[in-house]
Amino acid sequence: MPTPAQAIRHEYLRHNKKFPHVWCPGCGNGIVMGALLRAIHHLELSKDEVVLTSGIGCSGRMPTYLDFNTLHTTHGRALTFATGVKLANPALNVVAIMGDGDATAIGGNHFIHAARRNLNLTAIIINNSIYGMTGGQYSPTTPFGAISTTSVYGHIEHAFSIAELAVTAGASFVARSTVYHADLIDRLIEQAMQKRGFAVVEVISNCHVQYGRRNKLGGAVDMLKQFKEQAVTVSRAEKLSPEELEGKTTIGVLVDRELPVSTEEYKKVRRRAHESGDKV
Amino acid sequence: MKIQKEKQNRYEIRFSGSGGQGLITAAVVFAEAVGVYDGKYVCQTQSYGPEARGGKSKAEVVISDQPIDYPKALELDLLLAMNQAACDAYFFDIKANGLLVVDSSLVEQYPTSRIITIPFTQIAKEEIGRELVANMVALGTIGFLCGRVDLANLEKALLARVPKGTEEMNSRALQRGIEEAQKIDVQGLPRAVMSEDDDL
Amino acid sequence: MMSETTTPRRLLQGNEAIVHGAMAAGCRFFAGYPITPASEIAELLSILLPAADGTFIQMEDEIASMGAVIGASLAGVKSMTATSGPGFSLMQENLGFACVTETPLVIVNVMRGGPSTGLPTSPAQGDVQMARWGTHGDHPVVVLAASSVEDCFSITVKAFNISEKYRVPVILLSDEVVAHTRECVRLPAQTEIKVVDRIRPSVPPDWYKPYEGDSRGVPPMAALGDGYRHHITGLIHDEHGFPTQNRHEIERFHKRLTKKITKGFSDIQMSRGFLLEDAEIVVIAYGSVARPALRAVEDARRQGVKAGLLQLITLFPFPRGTVSTLLKQCRAALVPEMNMGQISREVQRVNQFDCAVVKHNRVDGQFITPLEIFKHLIKL
């Protein structure tokens, strides 16, 4: 008898895809992938009704391994493809998997507009503060002062907070976790996929190979320990001063609000169009 | 070398002035009357600058009994100039014995004595009560003078295009334009200096 | 009287006729971004699509528009976008994705003066080579050109049909003159229009290989959510859709993509001939310029010059056979274009005969006149 974990792997991983995957040993991407599978399994969604889109980068390879309708698009554009899929067939559960550079540099415009537009989509952003696949160049979430292959003298720009960007841009649901808090990711993705409207889950992840190594943060386990130490729940964070929150990562649900969802609003547009008749 | 005159019965009108004077609308209404209602071949084109209001604006209508190859005007049979700049710029595009019609409320210097001057804007403002419909007064005049459109169809096309509630005003403007045109003795206008057979 | 095979006469702009053609061809999704001189297409579709239970969306830019159009097409809905030069530049990235994933869609590019912001309200034909080669890498693509309001309707239908039949993006080139000229047309009734839909897989999902060509080299296409779960990627992929670095699979993939179009040449390559039978000089023109060209040819005939016109509707794949036959027959070919010579280079490329290929170029933002073509023509 397979264990429950094995059963999920057997059910959702593509057995006809030549493994191994492209990720380095210890990469956080696998933890996020596991959480996504457990969330979908728990929600009892049909594999045929799930569409997974991704961009380019290490995160972009995730759909390749998963037995859903999978769409590995161009760099930064996962949400634009997801928008077309969702509007063309609103019955599908559409999830976009992106990295930090993918979602907030080259795809930054799409990201804020997807949040503003508020389609019924789920966006999962794996934030490892670096461009891993291309060899460790700085991304929009690389901290000030950090070393990367394009900031060997120290990074001089400031990092985005992806989750806060999504809140400001108007997403219905925004949450954050780290790869250390694997159980929390399961729950947040589940909530996000059930949410009516644009739902964002940011997962702080480790790229010990391209980021940790250069910034003396140790290996995968060391970085996970740091995530554990830096994490503060939303409820605890509310009681802390900005000074106390310096260097901390707030985890949990940042925003959960009811807003008009444009997938549903468009049904009203169609109704109005029908009522006014074809006068053109 | 001269091009032998083609047999097709082509008639070209240009509506010119500035953006916001409704010249494109007038041309579209004219084209609709000729094409949809009269059943002739028609091409309507326009060119304009980036400004929504105030820039140069021109719209053209080519009418023929046969399919139209070149959609833009080549030699004008009739030029409507609704301001001085348009009159100056396009006067030379009129063919010999073509007609120049200007809004005398806005054009002061006449480039030729072979000219029809009607104060379209003044009529619209003072008699119809809306300066905005000067284009429709001009449309009436042109419809009558060109002799290429059924005037009842011109009115039908006009009423199909204008906003609800403005039909009566637009219709009145069109009729005023027709009345003004009826007063004109086209045959009595001075002949063009250049003959049609002159070199290109 | 209204006949059963047509609709009433209407005065339509080229841009409006493209919209009616798209609706008639079954297009039910549009994503785009405002740009002169293409915006009327988006405006009218924003009214007509929801009334036909289709979807219109204005995206944040043209990159996003192309992404959404591809996504919608993959979900099984015929999709299009419309733009002009600057937007077309932004679309090139995802156009490549559509090529490599064999996603049917139609891009209308209403050409204006370029490069860059160029001349937004003036006509030009400067995007011809870009339409063919704008996205990186070898790729098949079909480029068509419309010259009149009637064309805008019928060639749009044809563009969708080719796109669906061959699973290839089709670019319809229009220009500012075609887009904004109003002409009276009687559109055919829906029952008179031949509409082609993509072939769906008939095998059970377990047997389905999403990138295995049929006898024409075109794979049947399942929509996302149809039960045929598979992988779609911009990476070069094997027949199952998975990325491959196997050189045999890579080569097989590229060759099939090219071959499916070359096999369809007779179907895809369209042109119109006027007075060509005994022609000694052929004018080769496309888009709006075909109109002054026809007039110039007729004027030349009246002067006793044996001229004819070949109007290209399909620009790419370049109709080599048709053009070669005429180059063999004629002593000169004149190629008038509103660019510095983007199709004349194609004509020169296929010219293996004693025919002088002469360019006639206009890049001042003005429409070419019949007289200038005529003057050039009678000197040849």
Side-chain angles (χ1 to χ4, degrees):
Chain A
M1 273 291 285
T3 64
Q6 281 172 331
I8 287 180
R9 284 206 291 274
H10 294 167
E11 172 68 15
Y12 294 102
L13 294 188
R14 273 180 169 141
H15 56 85
N16 58 352
K17 168 70 195 122
K18 299 151 256 172
F19 276 88
H21 52 68
V22 299
W23 299 325
C24 305
C27 178
N29 285 357
I31 296 173
V32 180
M33 185 166 88
L36 173 66
L37 294 185
R38 288 188 293 274
I40 289 172
H41 185 72
H42 199 234
L43 289 170
E44 298 178 342
L45 300 176
S46 149
K47 291 193 282 187
D48 284 333
E49 288 166 11
V50 175
V51 178
L52 212 54
T53 73
S54 69
I56 298 295
C58 297
S59 65
R61 295 301 179 105
M62 189 185 291
T64 319
Y65 310 124
L66 303 181
D67 187 16
F68 302 111
N69 301 283
T70 55
L71 183 49
H72 177 208
T73 75
T74 43
H75 195 20
R77 322 297 179 208
L79 282 169
T80 70
F81 286 71
T83 298
V85 172
K86 185 68 187 179
L87 288 170
N89 186 352
L92 296 170
N93 287 292
V94 185
V95 180
I97 306 275
M98 296 166 283
D100 43 305
D102 199 33
T104 62
I106 191 165
N109 199 29
H110 309 312
F111 180 61
I112 57 174
H113 286 282
R116 176 188 62 80
R117 191 172 286 129
N118 206 30
L119 287 167
N120 199 5
L121 294 172
T122 305
I124 300 172
I125 298 149
I126 305 176
N127 176 4
N128 61 8
S129 306
I130 202 83
Y131 286 90
M133 186 168 263
T134 48
Q137 298 81 12
Y138 64 77
S139 87
T141 56
T142 302
F144 184 84
I147 307 296
S148 73
T149 55
T150 47
S151 63
V152 291
Y153 303 114
H155 191 40
I156 58 167
E157 300 170 11
H158 295 277
F160 265 145
S161 162
I162 295 177
E164 283 165 32
L165 187 65
V167 171
T168 310
S172 283
F173 178 91
V174 181
R176 190 195 282 127
S177 181
T178 84
V179 286
Y180 174 82
H181 305 84
D183 279 356
L184 178 63
I185 313 175
D186 290 20
R187 280 182 280 134
L188 293 179
I189 293 178
E190 205 178 310
Q191 271 180 277
M193 289 189 71
Q194 283 179 300
K195 180 69 189 177
R196 286 173 51 260
F198 191 69
V200 178
V201 179
E202 178 189 6
V203 184
I204 308 292
S205 184
N206 59 300
C207 183
H208 46 286
V209 175
Q210 300 289 12
Y211 181 70
R213 191 164 50 97
R214 290 197 178 85
N215 290 282
K216 306 202 165 32
L217 298 172
V221 176
D222 300 312
M223 289 188 77
L224 259 67
K225 279 183 186 159
Q226 289 150 26
F227 293 152
K228 179 190 176 189
E229 285 154 17
Q230 286 161 359
V232 180
T233 60
V234 170
S235 51
R236 225 189 111 215
E238 280 167 2
K239 293 170 195 132
L240 298 178
S241 67
E243 292 74 33
E244 288 170 310
L245 279 170
E246 192 69 33
K248 300 287 182 196
T249 306
T250 312
I251 59 169
V253 177
L254 275 64
V255 151
D256 186 354
R257 54 192 168 193
E258 294 305 316
L259 296 167
V261 179
S262 60
T263 342
E264 285 156 28
E265 292 300 310
Y266 200 75
K267 288 181 194 157
K268 296 181 195 166
V269 169
R270 282 185 181 161
R271 216 162 38 238
R272 282 176 223 145
H274 277 294
E275 281 161 11
S276 78
D278 180 6
K279 284 177 190 155
V280 182
Chain B
M1 182 167 189
K2 224 170 50 182
I3 306 180
Q4 255 182 38
K5 288 290 164 200
E6 55 163 345
K7 296 207 178 65
Q8 76 164 275
N9 178 15
R10 193 176 158 111
Y11 192 90
E12 303 180 349
I13 305 173
R14 180 179 296 161
F15 300 70
S16 64
S18 61
Q21 282 186 313
L23 294 158
I24 295 176
T25 308
V28 171
V29 169
F30 191 94
E32 206 142 46
V34 170
V36 176
Y37 297 92
D38 289 355
K40 288 184 183 159
Y41 287 97
V42 66
C43 274
Q44 186 275 319
T45 60
Q46 61 261 307
S47 70
Y48 48 87
E51 309 91 341
R53 293 284 179 273
K56 252 193 197 175
S57 172
K58 70 172 179 181
E60 295 175 350
V61 179
V62 178
I63 309 162
S64 177
D65 294 331
Q66 294 160 42
I68 297 165
D69 40 33
Y70 194 65
K72 301 219 178 206
L74 294 162
E75 270 192 303
L76 298 173
D77 292 278
L78 197 159
L79 171 67
L80 167 71
M82 294 286 282
N83 67 18
Q84 189 71 51
C87 181
D88 297 346
Y90 303 129
F91 163 63
F92 291 101
D93 297 339
I94 305 174
K95 67 164 68 156
N97 289 321
L99 294 177
L100 170 63
V101 181
V102 301
D103 185 340
S104 56
S105 7
L106 298 167
V107 176
E108 287 174 350
Q109 291 172 324
Y110 301 153
T112 172
S113 53
R114 186 176 163 76
I115 190 168
I116 295 161
T117 61
I118 298 168
F120 298 118
T121 302
Q122 199 187 327
I123 291 170
K125 204 158 140 187
E126 290 171 9
E127 297 182 32
I128 317 290
R130 288 290 296 277
E131 194 175 324
L132 202 69
V133 294
N135 60 339
M136 294 307 159
V137 182
L139 182 66
T141 299
I142 284 168
F144 184 86
L145 288 176
C146 78
R148 300 293 173 123
V149 62
D150 182 318
L151 293 173
N153 284 343
L154 189 59
E155 185 169 18
K156 260 193 232 166
L158 171 72
L159 296 179
R161 279 265 167 185
V162 297
K164 268 210 165 64
T166 67
E167 293 94 338
E168 203 262 318
M169 175 177 70
N170 277 291
S171 179
R172 214 145 41 90
L174 188 81
Q175 292 311 325
R176 276 297 289 124
I178 294 171
E179 283 166 31
E180 286 298 316
Q182 283 165 339
K183 296 179 197 162
I184 309 287
D185 171 19
V186 176
Q187 298 310 316
L189 287 175
R191 276 174 54 91
V193 178
M194 208 174 81
S195 134
E196 284 215 34
D197 295 324
D198 282 348
D199 257 345
L200 284 167
Chain C
M1 279 303 289
M2 191 178 147
S3 84
E4 285 176 4
T5 55
T6 57
T7 57
R9 273 173 79 87
R10 302 174 69 176
L11 185 74
L12 290 179
Q13 259 190 350
N15 277 347
E16 293 168 329
I18 283 174
V19 168
H20 293 295
M23 295 301 294
C27 173
R28 290 297 177 269
F29 185 90
F30 177 97
Y33 187 82
I35 189 165
T36 303
S39 297
E40 294 88 354
I41 296 175
E43 288 169 358
L44 185 52
L45 279 167
S46 77
I47 297 166
L48 296 188
L49 277 171
D53 290 326
T55 307
F56 167 90
I57 188 166
Q58 184 173 310
M59 296 296 284
E60 55 272 18
D61 57 30
E62 287 88 348
I63 301 171
S65 303
M66 269 302 284
V69 164
I70 296 169
S73 182
L74 291 171
V77 177
K78 286 190 192 178
S79 304
M80 76 179 289
T81 185
T83 188
S84 188
F88 192 49
S89 292
L90 289 182
M91 289 178 179
Q92 296 302 326
E93 176 197 51
N94 281 337
L95 172 58
F97 186 91
C99 291
V100 84
T101 57
E102 300 171 72
T103 305
L105 56 88
V106 173
I107 302 173
V108 177
N109 176 5
V110 184
M111 293 184 286
R112 66 188 214 186
S116 190
T117 313
L119 297 160
T121 58
S122 300
Q125 297 178 311
D127 305 348
V128 168
Q129 290 289 343
M130 184 200 192
R132 176 62 191 91
W133 294 114
T135 196
H136 59 275
D138 279 305
H139 58 277
V141 75
V142 173
V143 182
L144 309 177
S147 70
S148 66
V149 172
E150 214 171 332
D151 268 6
C152 283
F153 180 87
S154 62
I155 297 176
T156 301
V157 173
K158 190 78 189 173
F160 274 97
N161 287 351
I162 290 172
S163 176
E164 292 284 317
K165 185 170 174 184
Y166 295 94
R167 284 191 64 173
V168 66
V170 176
I171 294 149
L172 172 57
L173 293 179
S174 172
D175 61 58
E176 194 277 332
V177 174
V178 176
H180 288 157
T181 295
R182 287 186 179 83
E183 292 182 281
C184 258
V185 284
R186 238 186 238 287
L187 301 179
Q190 190 66 42
T191 49
E192 296 298 305
I193 299 163
K194 188 181 163 234
V195 172
V196 179
D197 295 317
R198 64 192 69 170
I199 293 174
R200 307 262 178 168
S202 52
V203 296
D206 281 351
W207 300 4
Y208 181 51
K209 291 189 202 167
Y211 294 95
E212 183 185 45
D214 64 7
S215 57
R216 301 171 301 132
V218 183
M221 187 172 174
L224 299 172
D226 264 2
Y228 290 84
R229 295 188 307 277
H230 63 281
H231 188 56
I232 301 160
T233 175
L235 290 163
I236 303 298
H237 38 268
D238 61 19
E239 289 176 339
H240 294 278
F242 293 123
T244 179
Q245 303 220 28
N246 176 310
R247 66 187 177 93
H248 302 293
E249 286 177 347
I250 296 167
E251 191 182 5
R252 195 158 62 232
F253 170 80
H254 269 294
K255 290 201 162 156
R256 179 176 62 73
L257 248 58
T258 303
K259 207 168 172 188
K260 71 174 181 181
I261 301 300
T262 53
K263 273 186 160 179
F265 271 2
S266 60
D267 182 35
I268 296 170
Q269 292 177 336
M270 298 175 284
S271 59
R272 291 185 191 125
F274 301 91
L275 306 167
L276 286 173
E277 204 153 290
D278 61 341
E280 291 167 5
I281 300 174
V282 59
V283 179
I284 300 175
Y286 56 94
S288 61
V289 177
R291 305 183 69 147
L294 177 59
R295 191 174 179 83
V297 161
E298 285 170 344
D299 287 340
R301 283 274 171 178
R302 275 190 286 275
Q303 304 298 321
V305 177
K306 285 188 176 170
L309 169 69
L310 177 68
Q311 181 193 343
L312 301 179
I313 291 169
T314 305
L315 303 186
F316 296 104
F318 187 71
R320 180 181 201 128
T322 312
V323 172
S324 291
T325 309
L326 286 163
L327 294 177
K328 197 173 174 185
Q329 170 191 326
C330 297
R331 64 181 159 81
L334 181 68
V335 190
E337 299 179 83
M338 289 190 287
N339 58 47
M340 290 304 284
Q342 298 198 12
I343 279 294
S344 65
R345 69 164 59 214
E346 297 296 322
V347 178
Q348 274 157 352
R349 183 171 64 84
V350 304
N351 182 20
Q352 295 170 336
F353 314 96
D354 277 339
C355 179
V357 176
V358 182
K359 304 198 296 179
H360 182 96
N361 310 116
R362 188 149 191 184
V363 287
D364 59 353
Q366 302 300 306
F367 189 25
I368 294 184
T369 66
L371 184 60
E372 61 183 289
I373 299 175
F374 171 80
K375 281 181 173 169
H376 203 153
L377 182 57
I378 55 172
K379 273 192 258 169
L380 297 174

